[in-house]
Amino acid sequence: MCLANVNSAKKVLSLPASDLQRLLQLSSSEVQLVLHAVSRLFRSVPPVTALQLTLGEFPSLEPGHRLSFACPVLDELLSGGLPLHGITELAGESAAGKTQFGLQLSLSVQYSREHGGLGAGAVYICTEDPFPIKRLRQLITQQSRLRPNIPPALIRSIRFSDNIYIEHTADLEALQTCVTQRVRTLLERGLVRLIVVDSVAALFRSEFQADEAIERARHLLAFSATLHRLSHTYSVPVFCINQVSDVVDGPNPGRCDYGLVDSKLLPALGIIWANQVMVRLMLRRQEGCLRSGEQTSAARKLEVVFSPHLARASCLCGVWEEGVRGISQEGEVKSSPGITEQRKKDFLEPTDSINRTA
Amino acid sequence: MIRTVSGSPLAPSVKVKLINAGFQTAADLTEVQSLQLCKAAGISQEEADEALQTLHDHSLPLQQRAAVQGLTALDLLHQEESWGNIVTFCSELDNVLGGGVPVGNTTEICGVPGIGKTQLCMQLAVDVQIPVCFGGLGGEAMFIDTEGGFVVQRLVGVAKAAVEHCAALVEDEEQRSALESFTVEKILSGVFLVRCQDHVELLAELHLLPDFLRTHPQVRLVLIDSVASPFRQDLHDLSQRTRLLHGLAQHLTHLSAQHGTAVVLTNQMTTKVSPGHTHLVPALGETWGHAATQRLILHWEGAQRFATLNKSSSRKDATVPYNITVDGFRDASISVSSVLSHSPAAGSHSKRPRTENQHT
């Protein structure tokens, strides 16, 4: 086998059987035996039942907990928070408040597991704007207001800003080396349990022209494959912020609108990227504003576009001094009556319409 | 039919020696004993045995081989009928598919992200376990997850709804006793999960699948969600990808027929640009279109989800609406006039799970 230069399991398995037969000078039944033996060596975990997963016997396959958004309403919408495996995308127009979510998650990941975190830092990859350090400082000082249930002493004991690793990447090459080398090192050392990319769209949209679609697709696939692998290997949630693009023309069979018929905006980067996303969220500015105590905030709607485990639902949220908070149905906020949270119903009616009077 | 030595599935070195020794066709070898062959061709006894065995099998005329295995078209029909179908819980889709996803065949499900491919897979993984007296198969399922879309929490929800559904259908004593053992835990323990991160892991898993099916004869459904993802991410050599996919498709077709399991594959969609306009087509290229016996395409039409049977050897093409609810994959609550009128198949449907939208 070594003579034929087929010396790794990976190589054996990725060759078509007939090539293998020719290379190794074996008959077809012998090749089957070889493949079988190699496969056996290669497989790490035998099939497990879903029952074993629910019992938590295989935390590497099904961790059983999620990364909290530090807000009960948002956590409820996402049934516990960010899944530890796979890419979660948040798309929205500029100034919708996407970065606020990224910042809040980078702080919430640092709490211990009982407080909804993962007990490690975050790596924050900026491709668009410089990292909003001032806002981060403000969020850190306001943590005790955002998390009234956590003892203030515990909050003070976490050195939040020391645990956020900020990476600025100005081009695609830098982005790829960043995720394949530096981020991997951080994950291996256990310093980091969250990857935030703010935003994926910026570089992929700016570096390619209209006629370079194939090249762009190749880079996009390579990038998402790396993120996927990191996420599954280290059980690390990946949070990607995405821009949106306008829907210009009428019905187009080549466009996938995810049943969002009333929307004039769709997440950027097209179907190639969408195929790689496990949970897609969309954030939209709404008319009217929300009031909480003395603060006011423009109303925003966070909507689950698709996800293997969530209903197509939405909730209202606002950006406050202490961070992002969703508005529960009862509403501590006065200016938004008439909001019916159609959590269960939205499964049946994909185009939810929130009746607003504000 | 003349069977040549050079076209046989023997090791190349053996073939060369046989041909050099003057054995050109299978007929040349019918009269020869293995010991003679050893000496004449200068090969080992094992090789000679294997060569004779292989060529002897293949030299039989086709009718004779069929007779040896005892399979006539009628037998095949009976076999197929006895294997049954896996219901989808969407009665319109079941009608289109002729009673559900056929066991012993491969079915491909294509669709854009978020359309419900994974949801349909989970629904099937639960439905294959419905007890026989409720019109199910009482089997188990194997779920090969390459995208990470398998979330146990969701499976629990779908399983709960299926159990409640069967509980509402109980009519006689047999069903009542069957229902006692048909619990959510039972369903969960009947779904085997494997996660594969790249195409190598997927191929390795598929090589081990025949063994798994032999030791778990209850498994009547193999789901791969999705085939596209690992092959599109890592493989840039297109000709190698096509050949590997071709081998994989053959392997799965063989497996489904041999072990009497349904094989369900999911595939992504991609944009095809032709001059003037673009449209969505299933990924992995044109040749992959031949891989599965049936191809189902899920798509949006405005705010409604639709399923189109795009390729099938036994059913005619049709498009039906469906919904994804908290309970799983269900009938669309509204009737859509644009749907081609499809006469409901004859026969009793009393055992077919009906759908009611409990949350409206």
Side-chain angles (χ1 to χ4, degrees):
Chain A
M1 249 180 139
C2 294
L3 282 181
N5 198 16
V6 198
N7 40 22
S8 76
K10 208 168 167 168
K11 215 161 171 183
V12 172
L13 289 166
S14 51
L15 279 173
S18 50
D19 282 13
L20 212 55
Q21 201 178 332
R22 190 162 36 76
L23 275 173
L24 302 181
Q25 308 259 313
L26 292 172
S27 71
S28 64
S29 56
E30 284 169 319
V31 167
Q32 290 309 320
L33 283 177
V34 168
L35 283 173
H36 192 267
V38 172
S39 303
R40 188 162 286 253
L41 281 175
F42 195 71
R43 178 163 78 180
S44 45
V45 192
V48 294
T49 67
L51 188 66
Q52 290 172 296
L53 290 181
T54 48
L55 296 175
E57 290 178 28
F58 291 90
S60 62
L61 291 175
E62 178 70 38
H65 61 281
R66 307 233 158 90
L67 170 58
S68 166
F69 274 88
C71 161
V73 181
L74 297 178
D75 282 349
E76 202 201 321
L77 180 75
L78 291 158
S79 106
L82 218 56
L84 298 199
H85 288 155
I87 299 175
T88 303
E89 178 205 56
L90 177 68
E93 48 207 312
S94 69
K98 307 183 294 287
T99 303
Q100 303 295 326
F101 278 85
L103 293 176
Q104 185 150 328
L105 283 168
S106 334
L107 295 179
S108 115
V109 71
Q110 300 184 31
Y111 289 96
S112 62
R113 174 136 166 229
E114 60 201 288
H115 294 119
L118 300 171
V123 56
Y124 200 106
I125 304 171
C126 298
T127 65
E128 230 171 313
D129 299 321
F131 184 79
I133 187 72
K134 275 191 186 152
R135 175 65 177 144
L136 183 75
R137 280 183 187 287
Q138 189 186 21
L139 285 175
I140 291 171
T141 54
Q142 300 282 330
Q143 274 296 300
S144 49
R145 266 176 80 189
L146 183 70
R147 320 278 306 246
N149 303 334
I150 300 176
L154 182 81
I155 295 180
R156 273 195 300 274
S157 71
I158 303 176
R159 301 172 60 86
F160 287 104
S161 46
D162 288 357
N163 293 324
I164 300 180
Y165 298 83
I166 300 159
E167 294 280 348
H168 279 278
T169 54
D171 57 60
L172 273 184
E173 211 176 316
L175 181 66
Q176 193 65 31
T177 36
C178 171
V179 285
T180 47
Q181 291 166 19
R182 287 202 293 279
V183 173
R184 182 178 286 275
T185 318
L186 288 171
L187 289 168
E188 267 167 10
R189 294 191 190 153
L191 294 170
V192 158
R193 285 296 299 278
L194 170 72
I195 304 171
V196 181
V197 184
D198 184 5
S199 68
V200 271
L203 294 180
F204 286 101
R205 285 179 116 179
S206 62
E207 285 206 11
F208 296 101
Q209 280 159 8
D211 54 344
E212 296 174 316
I214 296 171
E215 187 70 0
R216 186 175 101 158
R218 213 166 57 79
H219 277 94
L220 205 48
L221 279 175
F223 176 64
S224 57
T226 317
L227 289 181
H228 243 272
R229 198 167 290 248
L230 289 176
S231 173
H232 281 270
T233 316
Y234 299 98
S235 290
V236 174
V238 177
F239 188 72
C240 290
I241 289 168
N242 194 2
Q243 302 171 347
V244 287
S245 47
D246 284 310
V247 177
V248 270
D249 47 352
N252 177 355
R255 191 183 58 225
C256 164
D257 58 7
Y258 315 104
L260 299 169
V261 275
D262 56 339
S263 173
K264 293 276 173 291
L265 296 167
L266 287 175
L269 297 180
I271 194 166
I272 293 172
W273 168 252
N275 275 324
Q276 312 301 323
V277 172
M278 186 164 104
V279 179
R280 167 164 275 182
L281 307 172
M282 247 179 120
L283 190 63
R284 266 181 270 228
R285 275 187 102 114
Q286 303 278 300
E287 284 170 28
C289 65
L290 307 169
R291 197 175 299 120
S292 162
E294 311 217 312
Q295 302 180 49
T296 55
S297 157
R300 284 138 167 118
K301 190 172 86 168
L302 181 68
E303 185 180 7
V304 179
V305 179
F306 62 73
S307 155
H309 64 294
L310 301 174
R312 182 167 266 205
S314 61
C315 79
L316 280 185
C317 55
V319 179
W320 321 97
E321 237 171 62
E322 67 270 24
V324 188
R325 271 194 292 115
I327 305 301
S328 64
Q329 203 170 353
E330 297 82 45
E332 68 225 63
V333 177
K334 292 154 210 147
S335 69
S336 54
I339 292 163
T340 49
E341 211 189 356
Q342 304 179 314
R343 187 71 49 81
K344 292 270 155 58
K345 271 193 180 172
D346 282 348
F347 252 129
L348 311 173
E349 302 164 32
T351 53
D352 62 321
S353 53
I354 287 199
N355 309 313
R356 290 185 46 84
T357 52
Chain B
M1 190 184 77
I2 294 175
R3 182 82 196 183
T4 58
V5 169
S6 56
S8 66
L10 287 167
S13 58
V14 177
K15 278 195 242 177
V16 170
K17 283 178 185 160
L18 285 176
I19 292 167
N20 286 343
F23 300 103
Q24 293 288 347
T25 64
D28 297 339
L29 286 161
T30 43
E31 309 283 286
V32 190
Q33 297 294 314
S34 66
L35 213 58
Q36 289 173 292
L37 194 63
C38 280
K39 283 181 190 152
I43 52 179
S44 75
Q45 175 125 28
E46 290 92 52
E47 283 170 327
D49 281 338
E50 196 189 345
L52 284 177
Q53 188 71 39
T54 319
L55 289 162
H56 185 66
D57 279 354
H58 285 285
S59 65
L60 285 174
L62 278 176
Q63 306 93 313
Q64 235 174 306
R65 272 163 70 197
V68 169
Q69 291 167 7
L71 283 179
T72 63
L74 186 67
D75 289 333
L76 284 173
L77 182 70
H78 285 316
Q79 192 179 38
E80 214 160 274
E81 278 171 357
S82 72
W83 276 341
N85 291 295
I86 306 165
V87 291
T88 61
F89 269 30
C90 168
S91 54
E92 287 195 69
L93 184 59
D94 285 344
N95 283 342
V96 168
L97 293 170
V101 173
V103 174
N105 266 321
T106 49
T107 306
E108 183 188 3
I109 305 170
C110 317
V112 294
I115 190 71
K117 303 183 292 289
T118 306
Q119 302 297 319
L120 180 54
C121 286
M122 288 199 190
Q123 185 71 57
L124 291 170
V126 170
D127 292 353
V128 73
Q129 305 190 45
I130 293 174
V132 179
C133 58
F134 285 102
L137 298 175
E140 288 177 348
M142 165 85 160
F143 201 115
I144 301 176
D145 181 18
T146 63
E147 290 188 341
F150 182 91
V151 180
V152 173
Q153 186 195 6
R154 180 67 182 141
L155 187 73
V156 173
V158 174
K160 261 192 196 126
V163 171
E164 278 165 23
H165 184 85
C166 286
L169 290 175
V170 168
E171 280 167 359
D172 54 32
E173 204 48 49
E174 191 196 353
Q175 293 187 338
R176 198 161 295 128
S177 64
L179 195 66
E180 269 168 29
S181 61
F182 187 59
T183 58
V184 174
E185 282 82 51
K186 168 85 190 346
I187 295 178
L188 292 182
S189 63
V191 178
F192 295 89
L193 173 79
V194 177
R195 285 228 155 95
C196 299
Q197 288 193 22
D198 54 25
H199 69 280
V200 183
E201 285 185 35
L202 177 62
L203 290 169
E205 201 52 54
L206 292 179
H207 284 304
L208 297 174
L209 204 52
D211 266 7
F212 180 81
L213 293 177
R214 227 169 277 131
T215 49
H216 296 78
Q218 286 293 69
V219 174
R220 308 296 301 280
L221 171 66
V222 175
L223 298 148
I224 305 178
D225 183 26
S226 69
V227 173
S229 160
F231 282 96
R232 293 182 82 190
Q233 274 177 1
D234 314 308
L235 273 170
H236 300 300
D237 178 353
L238 280 185
S239 83
Q240 194 202 2
R241 185 180 93 171
T242 312
R243 294 183 64 195
L244 278 176
L245 279 170
H246 197 70
L248 177 141
Q250 271 193 321
H251 180 66
L252 288 174
T253 311
H254 183 72
L255 210 68
S256 61
Q258 184 132 47
H259 295 269
T261 56
V263 174
V264 174
L265 316 161
T266 67
N267 190 2
Q268 301 170 343
M269 300 293 271
T270 183
T271 322
K272 187 172 182 178
V273 185
S274 33
H277 66 288
T278 57
H279 53 126
L280 291 171
V281 293
L284 299 178
E286 288 288 326
T287 23
W288 175 253
H290 303 284
T293 343
Q294 295 198 90
R295 179 176 253 186
L296 199 61
I297 296 183
L298 308 181
H299 55 99
W300 288 105
E301 204 77 68
Q304 177 64 47
R305 300 167 199 256
F306 280 92
T308 299
L309 185 63
N310 186 256
K311 170 199 172 193
S312 168
S313 52
S314 53
R315 312 291 306 179
K316 69 172 178 183
D317 292 4
T319 301
V320 291
Y322 70 92
N323 258 349
I324 307 282
T325 73
V326 246
D327 295 336
F329 198 87
R330 291 295 185 273
D331 264 318
S333 43
I334 47 153
S335 61
V336 179
S337 55
S338 66
V339 179
L340 297 166
S341 62
H342 191 87
S343 60
S348 120
H349 287 296
S350 66
K351 299 248 168 106
R352 169 148 313 137
R354 294 225 183 285
T355 52
E356 53 274 334
N357 291 312
Q358 291 151 0
H359 291 273
T360 40

